[in-house]
Amino acid sequence: MSRLLPLGTLMAVACVAVFVVSLSAVTAGLVPNDAVTLWASAMTAGEGQMPIGRILAAYPTIPFLATTLLQVVTPAGTPTPVLLTGVVLALLAGSLLTSFHRIGIAAALAPLIVVLIVMHPAILRAAMAGPSEMIFTVFLFLLGCALFRLRARTGAPEVMAVALSLLGLTFSHPMGAAMTCAAVPFLVLAIEPEQLSRTALNLVLALLFPTAFCVAAFSYMSWIFPGSGWTFLVAPAEGVATWAAGFFTLFGRGVSGSLSVDAGLAIMAAILIGAPIAGFAIVSIWRQRPLLAPMLMFIATAVAAAVLAVTTGLFGDPAALAVMPPVLAAIVIIHMPPVRKRLEIVMALLALGWVGGVAGLAIADPSGAVNVAIALEGRHVDAERSAAIDLGQASVGRDGILVDTLNAPAIVIGRGSARGLLSPSDETFTLGILFSRIDAPFVAVPDPDIGSGAQDRLNKAFPLLYRRGAAGYELIYDKAGWRLFGRTNVMPGQTASRL
């Protein structure tokens, strides 16, 4: 009981602190597009407005299903992604505190170490990015711990722990899938040498089988439900392009001349700056291979994942890997006894890593650093999203609005509900596009000459709708590049407008 109170207090404080930070990020427009899409999709699914095919084939699966379930059980208007992020971080903080107590760290120091880790700038950035990156952080931590246990004893429980961690990474975030792919050639470093010499192939297959099986099953479901397949919440090419633009702004033409190599170097630099305890640990245990091998494998996997993401363009940008430093620091303290024997040095290195984490974030996530600077100046980080939220708020009280919410998910957030919106998943929307007819009570379209308006499905089907409107409709909202048209009184039998 004496430890339950500090544990509960720490978890509650961590949850509230991250909830406030995440909610402030939403207000300031710092939340990435994929988190906004996740929130809107979860609201749509939680209200029964999304077809079962899209729910089953949604990706990243774990954050989507968790957010949807929370959306169902919480009152309307609850910022479920923000709440889920706070809960996940609180569980991580509680797990760290329990682990530190178990390995013998003094009760007075353990909470302070936990705070230095869970309030690290990289963790706060992950919290602002939404539940997907927060869950990705947890599975990164679980994978790192499992690798150390696997190297110490390659038994069935240890193999299963690594396998399930890889599975969780794959379905928690696109960069988690990149981490799993990048880990394959390095897994032999985390296997006990005696076991490796006897059953290397069988062990590697056992480590990868759960992930391979689930990916195959997911792909099959995506094939059964066409149009809802393996699609990332952020267009990978666009994510890499945004990251590259920020990187070139910070480093000119780059460091090595190759963007892929620069991505790996950026993650390595972020780890060294944000987690100086990792460098100290490598020097301290240089000759202790059972401790050194899993750590080097973990770092090499993260660097290789960044290179793989930029090279292939299939996993989005590598900014999510900016969370590696605090995760690595926690793993070092838990699994490296020679390091934690010098707690005064550990505390100093954690504090130094907290300060260096700010610089590390600027290197690993340059576009995010630019957005934070814009927000601190009081300017809009994403004017398009702000305009879509305003339209959603203006649409409250009106039902039957034909609008492309997949292209502008912030409309759902601004409205506070997906009910009353005829989105691309609705039959009315599909038939309207197919037969070039509009018969909904309302229709909303963005300016096709501004940003993502060119990708709007209604603009593509009806190129003149934004400028000229539709026969039988009148303009009832016109602000910041969005127009909402409402159907006027029509003659009996006249239910549709053809453009």
Side-chain angles (χ1 to χ4, degrees):
M1 180 64 69
S2 60
R3 287 185 176 178
L4 288 181
L5 182 58
L7 178 64
T9 302
L10 179 65
M11 292 177 65
V13 170
C15 182
V16 172
V18 171
F19 184 89
V20 172
V21 170
S22 300
L23 197 59
S24 300
V26 172
T27 304
L30 293 173
V31 176
N33 291 331
D34 57 344
V36 174
T37 303
L38 176 68
W39 190 354
S41 299
M43 291 175 66
T44 304
E47 295 172 353
Q49 305 296 306
M50 181 179 290
I52 186 65
R54 290 192 61 85
I55 295 176
L56 293 177
Y59 184 88
T61 310
I62 297 174
F64 174 78
L65 293 180
T67 308
T68 300
L69 179 61
L70 197 59
Q71 183 71 35
V72 172
V73 300
T74 54
T78 302
T80 48
V82 176
L83 179 59
L84 178 60
T85 299
V87 170
V88 171
L89 185 66
L91 292 175
L92 177 61
S95 175
L96 289 177
L97 185 61
T98 302
S99 298
F100 293 159
H101 283 155
R102 187 177 63 249
I103 61 179
I105 294 180
L109 280 179
L112 181 57
I113 295 176
V114 172
V115 169
L116 287 173
I117 292 174
V118 300
M119 292 296 132
H120 190 281
I123 295 283
L124 296 179
R125 179 215 161 273
M128 290 191 294
S132 184
E133 291 206 14
M134 203 66 251
I135 294 174
F136 169 70
T137 300
V138 171
F139 278 110
L140 267 183
F141 172 71
L142 293 177
L143 175 63
C145 293
L147 290 174
F148 275 88
R149 297 190 184 102
L150 182 67
R151 185 60 174 80
R153 178 185 177 276
T154 307
E158 290 75 23
V159 171
M160 186 56 65
V162 173
L164 293 179
S165 298
L166 291 173
L167 175 62
L169 275 175
T170 301
F171 286 93
S172 64
H173 194 278
M175 279 309 303
M179 280 285 293
T180 300
C181 294
V184 174
F186 298 109
L187 285 174
V188 292
L189 297 176
I191 298 175
E192 193 178 7
E194 293 182 4
Q195 295 289 342
L196 182 63
S197 62
R198 283 183 285 178
T199 58
L201 181 60
N202 291 341
L203 283 173
V204 172
L205 290 177
L207 290 170
L208 297 176
F209 176 76
T211 300
F213 178 82
C214 290
V215 168
F218 186 86
S219 300
Y220 178 73
M221 282 194 301
S222 301
W223 177 68
I224 292 295
F225 302 105
S228 304
W230 186 276
T231 54
F232 299 116
L233 295 181
V234 174
E238 181 182 347
V240 173
T242 302
W243 183 88
F247 187 83
F248 291 146
T249 300
L250 188 64
F251 294 102
R253 296 184 178 181
V255 178
S256 67
S258 169
L259 185 61
S260 299
V261 175
D262 285 345
L265 293 175
I267 298 303
M268 178 62 76
I271 292 174
L272 294 176
I273 298 173
I277 192 174
F280 174 74
I282 291 175
V283 174
S284 301
I285 61 163
W286 182 251
R287 296 185 179 181
Q288 301 181 40
R289 291 186 178 180
L291 295 177
L292 183 64
M295 180 179 178
L296 293 180
M297 180 258 178
F298 193 48
I299 296 174
T301 299
V303 174
V307 174
L308 181 66
V310 175
T311 301
T312 63
L314 297 176
F315 304 99
D317 65 83
L321 291 171
V323 80
M324 276 290 293
V327 171
L328 192 58
I331 294 170
V332 166
I333 294 172
I334 294 172
H335 292 281
M336 293 186 174
V339 175
R340 65 172 179 264
K341 287 180 180 178
R342 308 174 183 178
L343 278 180
E344 66 283 353
I345 297 179
V346 168
M347 296 297 295
L349 291 175
L350 287 177
L352 183 60
W354 201 98
V355 176
V358 177
L361 284 181
I363 296 173
D365 184 19
S367 58
V370 172
N371 288 340
V372 170
I374 293 174
L376 291 176
E377 293 175 0
R379 293 183 290 158
H380 286 295
V381 173
D382 193 333
E384 283 189 56
R385 185 188 303 169
S386 179
I389 291 176
D390 290 342
L391 172 68
Q393 294 173 343
S395 70
V396 174
R398 297 184 172 95
D399 292 332
I401 302 175
L402 195 70
V403 60
D404 185 2
T405 55
L406 294 183
N407 188 57
I411 293 174
V412 180
I413 297 174
R415 184 179 172 87
S417 172
R419 290 191 176 92
L421 297 178
L422 304 177
S423 66
S425 61
D426 192 276
E427 183 179 302
T428 303
F429 191 102
T430 304
L431 293 177
I433 297 294
L434 182 63
F435 295 107
S436 298
R437 297 171 67 90
I438 297 178
D439 58 1
F442 302 93
V443 56
V445 287
D447 188 341
D449 296 329
I450 299 179
S452 61
Q455 305 301 319
D456 188 90
R457 291 164 178 79
L458 291 176
N459 275 331
K460 290 181 177 180
F462 310 109
L464 301 179
L465 177 59
Y466 179 82
R467 295 179 179 83
R468 299 185 182 178
Y473 285 76
E474 62 179 350
L475 181 65
I476 58 177
Y477 178 89
D478 184 4
K479 181 181 177 183
W482 275 94
R483 288 182 178 177
L484 176 64
F485 299 93
R487 189 169 55 190
T488 57
N489 295 329
V490 296
M491 298 297 293
Q494 182 185 356
T495 60
S497 296
R498 183 184 296 273
L499 296 183

